[in-house]
PDB file of all heavy atoms in Angstrom:
ATOM      1  N   HIS O1072     -10.881  -2.467  -6.324  1.00 97.00           N
ATOM      2  CA  HIS O1072     -10.643  -2.937  -7.696  1.00 97.00           C
ATOM      3  C   HIS O1072      -9.692  -4.111  -7.649  1.00 97.00           C
ATOM      4  O   HIS O1072      -8.671  -4.036  -6.953  1.00 97.00           O
ATOM      5  CB  HIS O1072     -10.073  -1.774  -8.516  1.00 97.00           C
ATOM      6  CG  HIS O1072      -9.997  -2.034  -9.990  1.00 97.00           C
ATOM      7  ND1 HIS O1072      -9.170  -2.971 -10.534  1.00 97.00           N
ATOM      8  CD2 HIS O1072     -10.667  -1.466 -11.035  1.00 97.00           C
ATOM      9  CE1 HIS O1072      -9.338  -2.968 -11.856  1.00 97.00           C
ATOM     10  NE2 HIS O1072     -10.230  -2.060 -12.175  1.00 97.00           N
ATOM     11  N   PRO O1073      -9.991  -5.219  -8.368  1.00 97.00           N
ATOM     12  CA  PRO O1073      -9.132  -6.398  -8.223  1.00 97.00           C
ATOM     13  C   PRO O1073      -7.675  -6.175  -8.618  1.00 97.00           C
ATOM     14  O   PRO O1073      -6.777  -6.851  -8.143  1.00 97.00           O
ATOM     15  CB  PRO O1073      -9.784  -7.450  -9.133  1.00 97.00           C
ATOM     16  CG  PRO O1073     -10.679  -6.667 -10.046  1.00 97.00           C
ATOM     17  CD  PRO O1073     -11.117  -5.455  -9.273  1.00 97.00           C
ATOM     18  N   PHE O1074      -7.426  -5.221  -9.525  1.00 98.00           N
ATOM     19  CA  PHE O1074      -6.053  -5.013 -10.006  1.00 98.00           C
ATOM     20  C   PHE O1074      -5.399  -3.740  -9.447  1.00 98.00           C
ATOM     21  O   PHE O1074      -4.314  -3.341  -9.896  1.00 98.00           O
ATOM     22  CB  PHE O1074      -6.032  -4.943 -11.544  1.00 98.00           C
ATOM     23  CG  PHE O1074      -6.692  -6.144 -12.192  1.00 98.00           C
ATOM     24  CD1 PHE O1074      -7.558  -5.975 -13.262  1.00 98.00           C
ATOM     25  CD2 PHE O1074      -6.468  -7.439 -11.722  1.00 98.00           C
ATOM     26  CE1 PHE O1074      -8.184  -7.071 -13.854  1.00 98.00           C
ATOM     27  CE2 PHE O1074      -7.096  -8.533 -12.303  1.00 98.00           C
ATOM     28  CZ  PHE O1074      -7.953  -8.334 -13.382  1.00 98.00           C
ATOM     29  N   ALA O1075      -6.079  -3.111  -8.492  1.00 98.00           N
ATOM     30  CA  ALA O1075      -5.613  -1.790  -8.021  1.00 98.00           C
ATOM     31  C   ALA O1075      -4.175  -1.840  -7.506  1.00 98.00           C
ATOM     32  O   ALA O1075      -3.330  -1.038  -7.933  1.00 98.00           O
ATOM     33  CB  ALA O1075      -6.536  -1.273  -6.933  1.00 98.00           C
ATOM     34  N   HIS O1076      -3.881  -2.784  -6.627  1.00 97.00           N
ATOM     35  CA  HIS O1076      -2.583  -2.828  -5.989  1.00 97.00           C
ATOM     36  C   HIS O1076      -1.465  -2.909  -7.054  1.00 97.00           C
ATOM     37  O   HIS O1076      -0.483  -2.175  -7.025  1.00 97.00           O
ATOM     38  CB  HIS O1076      -2.533  -3.996  -5.018  1.00 97.00           C
ATOM     39  CG  HIS O1076      -1.215  -4.094  -4.305  1.00 97.00           C
ATOM     40  ND1 HIS O1076      -0.847  -3.161  -3.355  1.00 97.00           N
ATOM     41  CD2 HIS O1076      -0.180  -4.966  -4.418  1.00 97.00           C
ATOM     42  CE1 HIS O1076       0.357  -3.478  -2.914  1.00 97.00           C
ATOM     43  NE2 HIS O1076       0.790  -4.552  -3.553  1.00 97.00           N
ATOM     44  N   LYS O1077      -1.646  -3.844  -7.983  1.00 98.00           N
ATOM     45  CA  LYS O1077      -0.648  -4.045  -9.045  1.00 98.00           C
ATOM     46  C   LYS O1077      -0.510  -2.773  -9.914  1.00 98.00           C
ATOM     47  O   LYS O1077       0.579  -2.391 -10.318  1.00 98.00           O
ATOM     48  CB  LYS O1077      -1.080  -5.244  -9.897  1.00 98.00           C
ATOM     49  CG  LYS O1077      -0.024  -5.780 -10.810  1.00 98.00           C
ATOM     50  CD  LYS O1077       1.123  -6.444 -10.065  1.00 98.00           C
ATOM     51  CE  LYS O1077       2.381  -6.285 -10.887  1.00 98.00           C
ATOM     52  NZ  LYS O1077       3.608  -6.453 -10.107  1.00 98.00           N
ATOM     53  N   ARG O1078      -1.655  -2.173 -10.192  1.00 98.00           N
ATOM     54  CA  ARG O1078      -1.641  -0.951 -10.996  1.00 98.00           C
ATOM     55  C   ARG O1078      -0.850   0.162 -10.338  1.00 98.00           C
ATOM     56  O   ARG O1078      -0.030   0.839 -10.964  1.00 98.00           O
ATOM     57  CB  ARG O1078      -3.092  -0.487 -11.280  1.00 98.00           C
ATOM     58  CG  ARG O1078      -3.214   0.954 -11.708  1.00 98.00           C
ATOM     59  CD  ARG O1078      -2.472   1.242 -13.033  1.00 98.00           C
ATOM     60  NE  ARG O1078      -2.279   2.685 -13.221  1.00 98.00           N
ATOM     61  CZ  ARG O1078      -1.301   3.215 -13.929  1.00 98.00           C
ATOM     62  NH1 ARG O1078      -0.399   2.446 -14.528  1.00 98.00           N
ATOM     63  NH2 ARG O1078      -1.195   4.519 -14.063  1.00 98.00           N
ATOM     64  N   PHE O1079      -1.048   0.351  -9.047  1.00 98.00           N
ATOM     65  CA  PHE O1079      -0.345   1.433  -8.347  1.00 98.00           C
ATOM     66  C   PHE O1079       1.184   1.146  -8.342  1.00 98.00           C
ATOM     67  O   PHE O1079       1.983   2.055  -8.516  1.00 98.00           O
ATOM     68  CB  PHE O1079      -0.893   1.643  -6.918  1.00 98.00           C
ATOM     69  CG  PHE O1079      -2.375   1.972  -6.895  1.00 98.00           C
ATOM     70  CD1 PHE O1079      -3.194   1.490  -5.867  1.00 98.00           C
ATOM     71  CD2 PHE O1079      -2.941   2.739  -7.899  1.00 98.00           C
ATOM     72  CE1 PHE O1079      -4.565   1.772  -5.857  1.00 98.00           C
ATOM     73  CE2 PHE O1079      -4.314   3.038  -7.881  1.00 98.00           C
ATOM     74  CZ  PHE O1079      -5.118   2.553  -6.864  1.00 98.00           C
TER      75      PHE O1079
END
Side-chain angles (χ1 to χ4, degrees):
H1072 189 293
F1074 307 135
H1076 182 69
K1077 194 68 210 160
R1078 161 61 196 153
F1079 302 144

